[in-house]
Amino acid sequence: SLKIDRGATPGSYSSYHTAATQDDYADYLVKHVLLSNPAAVSAISNVHFYGVYGPTDERSLAYFEYEGTDFPIDKGLILATGDVNGVTGESPEGPNDRPGSALSNNGGYLMTGDPNLTPLIVPHTVMDGSHLVFDFKPFKPDVSFDFVFASEEYPQYSNTAFNDIFGFFVTELPSGAPFNIAYFPDGSTPVTINNSNWGRTSSSNNNSTNLGAPLYDAVNPQWHVPIYQGSPVMEYGGRTIKLTAKANSLSTAKTYRLALK
């Protein structure tokens, strides 16, 4: 199951929960987890995080580890809309047995009308979320990041206006135009609930029904993994398969801004 770093509290899984300020905490995680090569530390600057943050408790950015056999990323960063640091059942950690629980401290950072995300979900509206951004000078022209997108809105809000989204934007500094590198495996479909799901169930408890085969209104289910009630993996009601964000043909002589939203 997913295990979230809580620092000195019971259930601590790393030593990353130590920085005193929000940006210091994000800086440490980007340099030592997201880009774990020690040589990369000097290439990263201007790390900022916008989201839920508390020095000892509530936060929507954290380090995680996975213990098990069916989750495709063994450790990394978790970036969420609400609090990822709550007690089991009120955070992304499994078991999946409390409907709606992974939305504790729901709201996150106000991102209404975000200029990067909005064009990807028209006609829906961007409301709130989390935003991790940093500048980076690449050591090689091609850079890639593995990620999984999960949501508590699966499956009963699939194909509705509650269309959660993830974007990973690259901007060449000082004045380049941002471009998204987070897509489904076809290389062109943005990573949203409505672009890949198991279909919509009428159940009020999004964890209560073992959906079996994809429902009649499923969209690209080949990219989706349902999380059934009782699953020890995570509280969220569904996730994508492992995806890879790729930025190719970058210049090693230039600096780029990377934004995860």
Side-chain angles (χ1 to χ4, degrees):
S1 62
L2 292 181
K3 297 181 180 296
I4 309 298
D5 174 33
R6 292 190 175 86
T9 62
S12 175
Y13 305 112
S14 77
S15 59
Y16 297 115
H17 201 286
T18 56
T21 70
Q22 181 165 320
D23 284 344
D24 288 342
Y25 176 68
D27 182 270
Y28 195 88
L29 289 177
V30 168
K31 291 178 178 178
H32 297 278
V33 178
L34 187 66
L35 297 172
S36 58
N37 186 337
V41 171
S42 63
I44 298 169
S45 60
N46 297 325
V47 181
H48 298 287
F49 172 64
Y50 308 91
V52 177
Y53 178 79
T56 60
D57 45 28
E58 300 173 6
R59 58 185 65 198
S60 51
L61 173 68
Y63 169 85
F64 80 90
E65 295 179 9
Y66 177 70
E67 290 184 355
T69 59
D70 59 354
F71 193 72
I73 299 177
D74 62 350
K75 60 182 65 177
L77 299 186
I78 181 165
L79 181 69
T81 300
D83 179 20
V84 302
N85 215 35
V87 299
T88 300
E90 294 180 352
S91 74
E93 295 174 316
N96 188 324
D97 59 2
R98 297 179 64 179
S101 297
L103 302 173
S104 60
N105 294 296
N106 187 27
Y109 176 71
L110 189 63
M111 298 178 68
T112 305
D114 182 89
N116 301 141
L117 293 174
T118 298
L120 303 180
I121 61 165
V122 172
H124 303 303
T125 302
V126 175
M127 298 180 67
D128 48 37
S130 292
H131 177 191
L132 176 63
V133 60
F134 59 95
D135 296 343
F136 177 66
K137 188 172 182 179
F139 287 106
K140 56 183 181 179
D142 299 337
V143 179
S144 65
F145 301 84
D146 292 334
F147 70 97
V148 164
F149 169 78
S151 177
E152 187 69 357
E153 307 291 11
Y154 291 118
Q156 83 275 27
Y157 291 110
S158 298
N159 306 324
T160 73
F162 297 97
N163 190 22
D164 291 357
I165 183 171
F166 174 73
F168 197 144
F169 300 93
V170 180
T171 305
E172 181 183 317
L173 297 179
S175 57
F179 60 93
N180 186 29
I181 61 172
Y183 290 105
F184 282 111
D186 64 355
S188 60
T189 301
V191 179
T192 75
I193 283 180
N194 289 355
N195 286 340
S196 176
N197 56 65
W198 216 245
R200 183 184 179 191
T201 175
S202 59
S203 171
S204 61
N205 180 350
N206 64 331
N207 305 321
S208 66
T209 305
N210 187 321
L211 300 177
L215 303 176
Y216 75 95
D217 59 342
V219 178
N220 293 315
Q222 71 274 19
W223 301 330
H224 183 74
V225 180
I227 307 295
Y228 298 128
Q229 185 178 26
S231 167
V233 180
M234 61 171 60
E235 175 61 41
Y236 294 128
R239 67 169 176 86
T240 66
I241 61 174
K242 183 175 73 172
L243 303 172
T244 302
K246 299 179 181 180
N248 296 328
S249 302
L250 302 181
S251 171
T252 57
K254 296 180 179 179
T255 300
Y256 297 84
R257 180 155 295 158
L258 307 184
L260 292 77
K261 297 186 176 185

